[in-house]
Amino acid sequence: MMQVKEKSKTVIMDGSKLIVESLVRSGADVFIGYPITPANLLYSYSLERFREFFAAPDEITTLQWMCGFSTTGKIPVTATSFPGYALMLESVNMAYMMELPMVIVLVQRLGPATGSATCGAQGDLSLLHGSISGGFTLPVISVSNMNDCWELSNKAMKMAVDLRTPVVLLTSKEEVMTQASFDISQLSEINLIERKQYSSNETFVPYKTEESLVPEFLKVGNAKHQVRFTASTHDQKGIIQNVAKEAIENTKRLEAKHILNLNKHLYFDYDKENGAETLLISYGITASASREAVKNLRAKGEKVSLLIPKTLLPVAPKYFEIISEYKKVVIAEENLSGQYRKILFGEFGNKNISGVNGFAEMITPAKIVDAVLFK
Amino acid sequence: MEKFLTDEALPFCKGCGHHHIAGNTEKALQSLGMNPMDVILVTDIGCHGIIDKSFKTHTVHGLHGRSVALASGISAALENPDKKVIVFIGDGGTTIGMQHLFNAAHNGFNMTVVIHNNMLYGMTGGQCSEFTPMGFKTPTLPNGADKAGYDICKLIAAVDGVTYVSRLEGIGDFSEQLAEAFSKKGFSLVEVMEICPSYGVKSNPGMKLSNVMEGAGLDVKKYADTEAVNYKSKINQSSNVLFNDDDIIETAFPSKLEKEVRLMLCGSAGEGIQGAAEMLLEAGIVSGLNGTKKGSYPVTVGVGFSASEIILSSDEILYTGSPNPDVICVTSTDGLDYARKTLTSMKGGKLFLDSSLTAPETKAEVISFPFRERGGAKNSSMYCLFYMLTATGLFPMESLMKVFSESKISKKIDAEKMFQSLREPVIANETKKIIS
Ligand SMILES: Cc1ncc(C[n+]2csc(CCOP(=O)(O)OP(=O)(O)O)c2C)c(N)n1
Ligand code: SF4
């Protein structure tokens, strides 16, 4: 979608291709998946591109196999949509508790339930926000254009590996299926991400941590040290405990590590206009409509700033710093009731905060313009 | 001799059958001369599952019913087939996660599954499982089960891919039978029949395990013992990058288009809509334009409507939805039904409509032409595409000709003939109605 410049290399591209290629170049070892529209392009490109590919018989199995691969030091990837993610939920909690890196590409489609498989949506953020039982944060990174499909796939994997956690790369039907002219000459180099292994001779304590609050990893089946993984409440040794203090501290660390390291994995675009009193916030598929709306508003001489959060969860304090500079905030997202708006500001909200919402259709730039201008 | 169990007491009730499986597993592994670091024990949720802390092997303790799937991932990922993956699961875990056992057997994943079948859910209070035998009582079935439980050995032995299946009575020394299963490559399963004193014995006073087994027809024997088709992960040797310089589309015939143009092609599945749309996008790029294309079709791709939205612009394209197309091509009834709402809300623009169809109320300029008649249903979209470009001049025809002649469709459609028939005037009986 870039302007044609000299020496540009224009091809017909889609987001699925960029995500799969980027993940493989980032060092993802294996794709495990169960077909579901609109994630099927990711599935078929992965079959072509991944060194190892497994067709699982359902989404619970998908996540369990991924966990198995992850305990051996490999980096697994899957792609799904709401119905599949719903089945994965308990196993995502398991991966979170065991601290197993993996990337789940979630392609949003219209719900509830089976809904409309071929219609896009942004309806799953509330579910992701509450995915981990107990009030813990599951990291969610959201793409806002084709270039993000490339860059953020790598960043999502880096976050998964560095923090030893499942990470959701959030997309939607239009973002991974729409084809577009795209200049591949401007794609950045993708860095290979490696999983470091514990290398000391001292007894390995599976969930012992230092400052980063992320335990060192050692693969199951190694010849030197006993390794334990468990999804039940456990102490540093990986031994099941009920609510013993050490074990509860270890569980609470799972949230603390994400908060502590958030700034290393914080991605957003902030297009600030001096003198603007209104901030437009948008993410995912609606970010493009918002960019166009801002362009149109500025062409009319209206002042407005635009924040596109990409690390959606954990919510960064930085976002509130930016928000506090404005009198009025408008949040545009394609779901019925404003899921990110509620995550940021609660159910009750505030008269200076309004939402532009849509269901079963993409939000138009015109609708966003109206909301920004509404007094 | 290597110890596989710690010296601490096992975490089970007095007399629980799970004790015997733990002890015999250690003995079996010792008899095979294994090292604890060569063994990965994957345990399910249930009383049997809390054994992991007592084992000196690698241990992985996951969710209720999912241990076999988790072990499948470990087994498929391990590069060393001599590592031994063992799964401890109950009849409860087998009930909730039965598909994983079939699936692991089918794939021949290298592991041994040890089912601790005490015929009820111990951990949650002795409720019945799908393995509770006819007549066997549990605290929730005071009159006894009224159906036979599953014979998991028979069922798993029937799966193509399995190596070894046996059932045994979990009393005394059964380490040799366990060792036989552990020594197999591929998928092996041992069902160990045992009792839960806390619930099973209490609900069935005076019961004898061997009598229960006999009554239920659960024989102690081997159900499968074949050569392993040892699982090897499928490595994709021909992994190719998904895009490269071969895919580059060079600008050949620049377009003078200044504003963004939004187009919609609407027709029926199997009539080339998506192909025509892709060609339009590519031809736009050959003309130096930016473009996007998205398809819409019902979930069953082979029937009903097929539609595509294309945007072409000399500028960067941000928003890719297209509520108000400038140009819309409709070549079939399905397509018209799909486009109806858009057509009635259009404030201008052009509609290229097959002459067999009646235009709905629209402010778009309607241009009718017998695309289906002249090109046949299958080629109607392609005929319409060429006609539309001639009429609108969005970008040079040379671009479309270039893409067309390099595509497979050019083998099926004679371009000369197509142009000829697109130029021929419309005769009266071909056209039902022309509205302008
Ligand atoms: C998804 C889920 N559902 C229910 C439970 C509750 N639960 C824990 S153990 C168990 C049954 C255990 O029975 P079995 O597998 O036969 O093992 P046993 O306790 O008899 O050794 C159940 C239902 C759970 N942990 N997870
Ligand atoms: S409740 Fe039953 S299965 Fe559980 S430990 Fe006690 S005897 Fe064993």
Side-chain angles (χ1 to χ4, degrees):
Chain A
M1 275 187 268
M2 288 279 114
Q3 226 161 327
V4 185
K5 287 181 235 97
E6 274 218 302
K7 275 215 203 133
S8 66
K9 295 180 172 181
T10 304
V11 304
I12 294 178
M13 185 60 83
D14 58 64
S16 297
K17 227 180 238 185
L18 289 166
I19 290 171
V20 171
E21 186 64 35
S22 173
L23 286 170
V24 169
R25 291 193 197 188
S26 301
D29 295 289
V30 57
F31 183 95
I32 299 168
Y34 186 77
I36 186 164
T37 306
N40 287 336
L41 277 179
L42 289 147
Y43 184 99
S44 52
Y45 291 143
S46 294
L47 175 64
E48 219 179 297
R49 184 65 175 102
F50 269 76
R51 207 167 150 270
E52 285 187 85
F53 175 97
F54 286 84
D58 62 82
E59 287 90 348
I60 296 178
T61 306
T62 298
L63 240 281
Q64 290 292 327
W65 284 6
M66 287 171 78
C67 288
F69 268 87
S70 200
T71 64
T72 72
K74 296 197 170 169
I75 308 175
V77 169
T78 192
T80 190
S81 194
F82 166 79
Y85 182 77
L87 289 182
M88 291 172 180
L89 202 53
E90 189 193 16
S91 303
V92 171
N93 275 254
M94 179 180 107
Y96 193 84
M97 194 69 158
M98 289 182 171
E99 300 183 66
L100 297 173
M102 61 182 61
V103 175
I104 300 165
V105 184
L106 180 59
V107 187
Q108 294 170 100
R109 69 185 220 184
L110 194 72
T114 303
S116 297
T118 53
C119 179
Q122 289 184 280
D124 298 336
L125 192 57
S126 297
L127 171 65
L128 294 171
H129 188 229
S131 270
I132 307 295
S133 180
F136 293 77
T137 308
L138 177 68
V140 175
I141 295 189
S142 150
V143 303
S144 74
N145 58 24
M146 283 234 187
N147 203 53
D148 281 350
C149 291
W150 183 252
E151 303 260 338
L152 294 182
S153 298
N154 172 267
K155 305 291 188 210
M157 212 173 94
K158 182 159 174 51
M159 189 176 196
V161 169
D162 285 1
L163 302 186
R164 281 190 58 176
T165 180
V167 171
V168 172
L169 185 67
L170 189 62
T171 67
S172 69
K173 182 242 169 186
E174 310 292 348
E175 288 173 300
V176 301
M177 289 189 72
T178 300
Q179 291 177 298
S181 51
F182 184 80
D183 179 6
I184 54 172
S185 72
Q186 42 102 35
L187 289 175
S188 60
E189 193 73 33
I190 292 292
N191 296 326
L192 184 71
I193 297 157
E194 269 169 295
R195 286 182 70 177
K196 288 195 197 72
Q197 300 257 349
Y198 180 79
S199 57
S200 158
N201 285 326
E202 268 171 56
T203 309
F204 177 65
V205 183
Y207 290 102
K208 194 174 132 197
T209 61
E210 310 290 342
E211 300 95 81
S212 73
L213 299 182
V214 183
E216 284 192 71
F217 176 81
L218 185 56
K219 63 181 175 193
V220 90
N222 80 88
K224 210 158 158 189
H225 301 281
Q226 184 190 32
V227 175
R228 291 186 190 279
F229 289 99
T230 171
S232 300
T233 305
H234 54 270
D235 59 18
Q236 291 193 342
K237 292 193 185 119
I239 295 202
I240 302 177
Q241 305 288 348
N242 187 16
V243 287
K245 189 163 176 290
E246 187 201 324
I248 295 303
E249 287 308 314
N250 181 64
T251 306
K252 287 202 233 151
R253 174 183 56 76
L254 297 178
E255 177 67 3
K257 75 175 177 187
H258 286 119
I259 305 307
L260 178 71
N261 297 293
L262 173 59
N263 282 340
K264 291 182 202 146
H265 304 277
L266 181 55
Y267 308 103
F268 62 90
D269 284 350
Y270 179 33
D271 178 0
K272 181 185 165 116
E273 176 155 43
N274 285 330
E277 294 187 342
T278 302
L279 174 69
L280 173 63
I281 302 179
S282 195
Y283 60 95
I285 185 66
T286 311
S288 300
S290 297
R291 288 189 180 103
E292 188 161 319
V294 166
K295 200 166 118 183
N296 296 345
L297 281 161
R298 287 179 183 167
K300 287 196 225 166
E302 298 288 341
K303 286 186 187 300
V304 61
S305 295
L306 176 64
L307 173 65
I308 297 175
K310 297 179 184 181
T311 304
L312 295 182
L313 301 173
V315 173
K318 176 76 191 168
Y319 299 161
F320 289 105
E321 245 174 63
I322 293 172
I323 289 164
S324 70
E325 294 171 29
Y326 295 88
K327 287 201 176 135
K328 178 178 161 181
V329 177
V330 176
I331 305 177
E333 53 189 318
E334 197 184 318
N335 55 55
L336 207 55
S337 50
Q339 299 187 341
Y340 202 45
R341 177 162 45 92
K342 286 183 185 172
I343 290 171
L344 293 176
F345 301 107
E347 294 275 345
F348 194 59
N350 166 326
K351 70 175 171 34
N352 301 321
I353 293 156
S354 61
V356 188
N357 297 99
F359 189 74
E361 57 189 3
M362 286 169 75
I363 299 175
T364 61
K367 206 170 156 188
I368 298 170
V369 166
D370 287 349
V372 169
L373 294 179
F374 185 78
K375 291 266 174 343
Chain B
M1 213 179 302
E2 291 282 358
K3 286 198 54 124
F4 287 79
L5 286 166
T6 64
D7 295 330
E8 270 161 50
L10 300 181
F12 308 124
C13 305
K14 193 158 167 276
C16 176
H18 297 346
H19 284 106
H20 303 301
I21 300 185
N24 278 287
T25 296
E26 175 174 62
K27 206 167 165 200
L29 291 169
Q30 285 170 337
S31 74
L32 292 170
M34 307 245 356
N35 180 298
M37 290 299 91
D38 293 332
V39 177
I40 299 149
L41 178 68
V42 184
T43 54
D44 212 84
I45 301 294
C47 293
H48 64 277
I50 49 176
I51 189 76
D52 62 328
K53 64 170 177 238
S54 305
F55 267 88
K56 292 166 159 259
T57 61
H58 300 288
T59 60
V60 187
H61 180 64
L63 301 179
H64 186 42
R66 312 300 161 198
S67 52
V68 175
L70 175 56
S72 297
I74 296 173
S75 166
L78 283 177
E79 271 134 24
N80 182 351
D82 292 332
K83 297 279 173 187
K84 185 69 217 173
V85 177
I86 297 173
V87 179
F88 277 10
I89 187 169
D91 52 304
T94 305
T95 300
I96 191 175
M98 201 168 306
Q99 128 134 319
H100 304 306
L101 277 81
F102 285 92
N103 173 258
H106 198 209
N107 280 289
F109 286 127
N110 191 19
M111 68 173 81
T112 302
V113 175
V114 181
I115 301 180
H116 298 50
N117 186 0
N118 56 12
M119 303 168 284
L120 48 72
Y121 302 158
M123 183 171 261
T124 45
Q127 300 86 345
C128 62
S129 77
E130 303 262 280
F131 289 78
T132 307
M134 172 113 78
F136 190 84
K137 294 176 186 145
T138 76
T140 58
L141 278 181
N143 299 321
D146 60 4
K147 280 189 203 73
Y150 296 130
D151 186 332
I152 192 72
C153 291
K154 265 194 198 154
L155 293 171
I156 293 293
V159 176
D160 184 18
V162 76
T163 302
Y164 180 94
V165 178
S166 77
R167 179 182 294 114
L168 51 90
E169 190 180 344
I171 290 173
D173 187 341
F174 49 89
S175 61
E176 241 176 75
Q177 289 105 303
L178 281 183
E180 182 170 301
F182 293 160
S183 66
K184 300 291 175 182
K185 290 277 186 272
F187 184 86
S188 55
L189 178 142
V190 186
E191 182 184 19
V192 183
M193 301 302 301
E194 43 152 295
I195 48 165
C196 160
S198 298
Y199 300 113
V201 177
K202 235 178 232 161
S203 302
N204 303 274
M207 67 163 267
K208 234 182 127 217
L209 182 60
S210 52
N211 291 345
V212 174
M213 289 170 64
E214 206 184 307
L218 298 171
D219 301 334
V220 170
K221 66 171 194 192
K222 272 188 232 175
Y223 288 78
D225 189 1
T226 60
E227 273 312 301
V229 205
N230 188 14
Y231 186 78
K232 292 214 177 50
S233 100
K234 300 169 189 106
I235 301 295
N236 183 2
Q237 306 289 6
S238 63
S239 157
N240 288 319
V241 287
L242 293 174
F243 50 85
N244 58 33
D245 287 0
D246 295 343
D247 303 328
I248 295 172
I249 303 167
E250 304 285 358
T251 306
F253 309 100
S255 152
K256 295 194 186 72
L257 190 72
E258 265 167 18
K259 66 181 219 12
E260 185 173 283
V261 176
R262 292 175 179 246
L263 305 101
M264 256 175 98
L265 309 188
C266 309
S268 293
E271 295 184 1
I273 289 284
Q274 302 305 327
E278 239 159 83
M279 198 168 284
L280 174 57
L281 171 62
E282 193 175 338
I285 299 171
V286 171
S287 303
L289 298 169
N290 294 307
T292 67
K293 178 223 165 224
K294 53 182 187 174
S296 298
Y297 22 80
V299 231
T300 45
V301 288
V303 295
F305 73 91
S306 176
S308 188
E309 297 172 17
I310 299 100
I311 306 173
L312 296 173
S313 174
S314 54
D315 232 343
E316 185 183 7
I317 299 164
L318 293 168
Y319 174 65
T320 56
S322 51
N324 289 309
D326 304 290
V327 177
I328 181 161
C329 297
V330 177
T331 46
S332 78
T333 311
D334 290 328
L336 185 60
D337 287 342
Y338 178 79
R340 208 171 284 276
K341 202 177 135 215
T342 311
L343 283 167
T344 44
S345 66
M346 275 169 80
K347 304 223 161 53
K350 287 187 163 68
L351 162 64
F352 292 87
L353 184 70
D354 189 81
S355 8
S356 64
L357 305 167
T358 308
E361 193 74 39
T362 178
K363 298 222 168 63
E365 178 193 347
V366 183
I367 300 144
S368 278
F369 193 86
F371 304 112
R372 300 181 76 83
E373 180 88 27
R374 300 269 174 102
K378 266 206 156 77
N379 300 330
S380 54
S381 336
M382 202 55 72
Y383 270 56
C384 186
L385 173 62
F386 275 89
Y387 190 89
M388 180 277 291
L389 185 61
T390 313
T392 59
L394 286 178
F395 54 77
M397 180 54 82
E398 289 92 328
S399 297
L400 186 57
M401 270 317 294
K402 180 173 189 292
V403 178
F404 175 80
S405 59
E406 286 165 8
S407 80
K408 281 190 218 133
I409 303 171
S410 62
K411 310 252 170 354
K412 293 189 198 137
I413 298 180
D414 182 340
E416 268 313 305
K417 216 181 114 206
M418 175 170 67
F419 279 120
Q420 180 67 31
S421 74
L422 288 177
R423 256 183 251 121
E424 259 168 44
V426 179
I427 42 174
N429 66 352
E430 258 184 329
T431 315
K432 271 199 191 149
K433 204 171 189 181
I434 300 179
I435 307 163
S436 52

